[in-house]
Each structure stands twice: as structure tokens, then as C-alpha cells.
Amino acid sequence: MRIPRIIAVTLAVLGPVVACSSGGGAATPSKAPQAAPADPSAAPEEKGHPFTGLPYEELKPVLAVKIENTAAGKPQLGLKSADIVYVEQVEAGLTRLMAVFSSKLPAKVGPVRSARISDLHITPQFGKPAFAYSGVQTKMLPFVAEASLFDVGDTRNPGAFFRQPGRYAPYNLFANTRQLLAKAPKATKAKDIGFTFGEAPADGGVEKKTWTVKWPAATFTFGWSETKKQWLIWQDGKKNMAAEGGQLGAPTIVIQYTKTERSEFHDKNQSYTPLVHTVGKGSAIVLREGKAYKARWSRESEEDGTTFTTASGEPMNFAPGQVWVALASRKPVIP
């Protein structure tokens, strides 16, 4: 029997959406699962800055600056704005700093001092950052030229540097940070360098009010301030003050024990320049929230970041905020 045209069309339209259920009756139309609509009032998930763990709007270029760290150059300017501050041994058993900026940029920074071979082994983990310094011995120039960095030192970028009134040379050389970065428009933006931030480990920490780290001719003491929620810094028995005002300090202090040995370089007094080995593995102490935690550090290559883990192998989280990394040695090289 021939089906009337109207009925045939109707069945053709309904056919695809009518199916037999397992019970033999008609089933509801089949639909693909749909995600629940987004809640417009829900706050977006915040991801902390790779250097500090703090909220950020955008990742910005990295600027590393070599800073004087003896009494003659204090108080230093700009360190309060740094994301990371490295403490490195230099000639005569003294220390010098490398301050890393990205999330915040102070207008001026200094006193800016000369670079060392250890700097060139630290910077590659940041990609190709802008690196500011005030000169380097001639023998090291080829190493700087080949390093993974944009050279914005005083020789290549003299317009960014100035002499600060009221201080004497060589401790009066400061720099305008925006002019430094202007000479390195392709500087790598902040990226993962192995740091993790978050809650402290549930166990393993020992309550400490102070922790002291020694180099052959320099001593740092970090003291926990419950009021400021920071480890305040003393150097050689004196408060480490900032030119902006107040005592320097950070929520997290890392004492990273490294192998330190003589390099092929030395200063005008024939004191050998130490070479700090920051690639490899070793032990560390992480200070946060009034406790000291034993940790391990690992860095497979110069292009890789440095990871810190607990004794059980879990990530050793840092407290959000500025991080100081003291590159120390259990057996310091003799100057």
C-alpha cells in the first residue's frame, strides 16, 4: 500500500529522533553531553608568578643586576623590589649580590658593580635576560659575549648609568632600570625556573629564630620577624638596611650548598675569583615562617631551573614573596 506523501514526510522527519529503548518503548531524543554553563560571578583561577608565587597580570622581561655588598656600598637601592636575590662569594672571601627583577621594577638600582664568572652560569635558567653590570676583566669578555644574556652593562649602555651624589667611586654607580630594559627589547619574560610556592611541608621543619651563614670574610644572619612575616637580614653583625628605608628581609631564605672552587680568573690583587657550581645536586636549608627545613636541590643543565625537594622527595614549597638564595659552601674556597 502506498503511503500518503504527507505521512511519509512526517515519518522521515521523526525517524531519526525515535529509537527503541532497552525496554522496547520509545526513548527520549539522544543528545550529546553538555558542559554546565560558566558562573560569571566566579573568580578566575589565579596562577602565581614563577619567581614569587604572588598574583600577577602579565609576565614581564627579566633584568638581572650585579650589586655591591660591602659596607662601602650600603645602603643598596632597589633590592626591596627584586623577585630573587642571589648571594655569591667573590674575591677575598667577600660576597656580592645578583638581583633579579621582573614582576616589579624600581626606578633606580645600585650600586652596580662588575660581573663574575659565576653570574654567567646562573643567568641561562632565565632564558636570555638583560644583564646589567659595571665592567668585567678583559679575560672574561669573550665569556660574556657568548653567554645567554643581553649585555646592558655600562660599556654597552652608558646612557642608563649615572653617578649618585653623596657617594664615592666605585660605589656611586647607579642605573635607571627602564633604560636598561630599553636596550634589551627581546629579553626573555619570566618563566618557570623550578621554584614552587604554597603550603609548607606538614613535617620536617624545626623552629628557628635565627640562622647564620658564613663565607670566608662575610657573615649573614637571618632572623624571623613574626610581625613582618619575614626573615630580616643582618650582615657582619649590622642590620642590612635599604636605601628606601627599613631593614631588608624576605619571606623565604634558601641556603643552597654548592661546590665552590677557584676559577681561572683573579683580581688585581691576585686573589682568585671563586667559581660557584650551580648545576648538579646538593643539600639546602629553606627558611620560612619561623622554621628551617632540610631540602635537596637539583639542576640538570644551565638552561634548566633549580628544583628544591623535601627529604621525602616532595616539592619544597616557598612562601609567596621575595626569595633570597645564599650560595654557600660547606668548605669555602680559600681566597
Side-chain angles (χ1 to χ4, degrees), residues 13 36 54 73 96 116 143 164 222 240 262 267 270 312:
V13 172
L54 295 172
R96 193 162 284 181
R116 294 295 184 273
F143 293 84
Q164 179 71 29
F222 305 100
N240 218 2
R262 289 182 174 185
D267 65 11
Q270 301 304 306
S312 61

Side-chain angles (χ1 to χ4, degrees), residues 22-327:
S22 57
T28 56
S30 99
K31 294 183 179 179
Q34 294 183 3
D39 181 0
S41 64
E45 182 180 355
E46 290 186 349
K47 184 179 180 182
H49 193 280
F51 297 172
T52 67
L54 295 172
Y56 69 94
E57 293 184 358
E58 63 176 328
L59 295 175
K60 299 176 183 178
V62 179
L63 169 66
V65 185
K66 206 64 196 287
I67 305 290
E68 172 64 27
N69 196 42
T70 62
K74 294 186 177 182
Q76 300 111 321
L77 178 66
L79 288 181
K80 278 193 166 184
S81 298
D83 292 331
I84 309 167
V85 179
Y86 289 93
V87 184
E88 307 171 44
Q89 183 181 335
V90 292
E91 299 82 6
L94 298 169
T95 58
R96 193 162 284 181
L97 308 179
M98 184 168 74
V100 179
F101 303 90
S102 185
S103 64
K104 292 189 291 185
L105 197 64
K108 302 173 183 178
V109 64
V112 182
R113 294 303 308 275
S114 54
R116 294 295 184 273
I117 189 63
S118 296
D119 304 326
L120 308 186
H121 295 286
I122 296 172
T123 55
Q125 66 185 319
F126 297 101
K128 196 171 182 180
F131 182 50
Y133 62 99
S134 61
V136 65
Q137 56 183 268
T138 304
K139 189 178 178 180
M140 228 182 84
L141 286 172
F143 293 84
V144 176
E146 295 176 2
S148 180
L149 53 84
F150 288 98
D151 185 345
V152 294
D154 63 338
T155 301
R156 293 292 188 95
N157 189 20
F161 293 81
F162 64 94
R163 297 289 176 179
Q164 179 71 29
R167 304 206 185 197
Y168 61 92
Y171 311 106
N172 62 350
L173 187 66
F174 286 67
N176 292 299
T177 56
R178 295 194 182 280
Q179 289 180 254
L180 293 174
L181 282 176
K183 288 293 184 178
K186 295 184 179 180
T188 303
K189 294 182 179 180
K191 64 184 184 68
D192 180 16
I193 57 166
F195 291 3
T196 60
F197 297 85
E199 296 294 327
D203 50 39
V206 177
E207 290 190 10
K208 288 287 183 180
K209 297 296 183 183
T210 63
W211 192 281
T212 297
V213 185
K214 294 184 178 181
W215 288 264
T219 300
F220 274 69
T221 296
F222 305 100
W224 176 249
S225 169
E226 185 64 31
T227 302
K228 295 183 178 294
K229 301 298 181 184
Q230 288 188 339
W231 292 89
L232 300 180
I233 302 172
W234 282 259
Q235 186 177 343
D236 302 326
K238 297 180 179 179
K239 290 183 178 181
N240 218 2
M241 305 301 290
E244 300 93 322
Q247 189 173 359
L248 291 171
T252 303
I253 306 293
V254 180
I255 298 95
Q256 182 180 345
Y257 290 105
T258 64
K259 179 182 178 182
T260 304
E261 61 184 1
R262 289 182 174 185
S263 72
E264 61 184 283
F265 306 99
H266 54 76
D267 65 11
K268 62 182 179 181
N269 298 317
Q270 301 304 306
S271 179
Y272 278 87
T273 300
L275 173 59
V276 181
H277 291 274
T278 53
V279 172
K281 298 179 180 180
S283 60
I285 297 293
V286 176
L287 306 177
R288 59 168 294 174
E289 295 163 347
K291 289 186 177 182
Y293 295 84
K294 290 183 178 180
R296 302 289 300 174
W297 67 268
S298 177
R299 186 180 175 205
E300 293 187 1
S301 72
E302 293 193 347
E303 291 71 28
D304 290 316
T306 307
T307 59
F308 293 86
T309 55
T310 64
S312 61
E314 298 297 319
M316 178 64 241
N317 290 338
F318 298 165
Q322 189 183 73
V323 179
W324 279 58
V325 181
L327 297 171

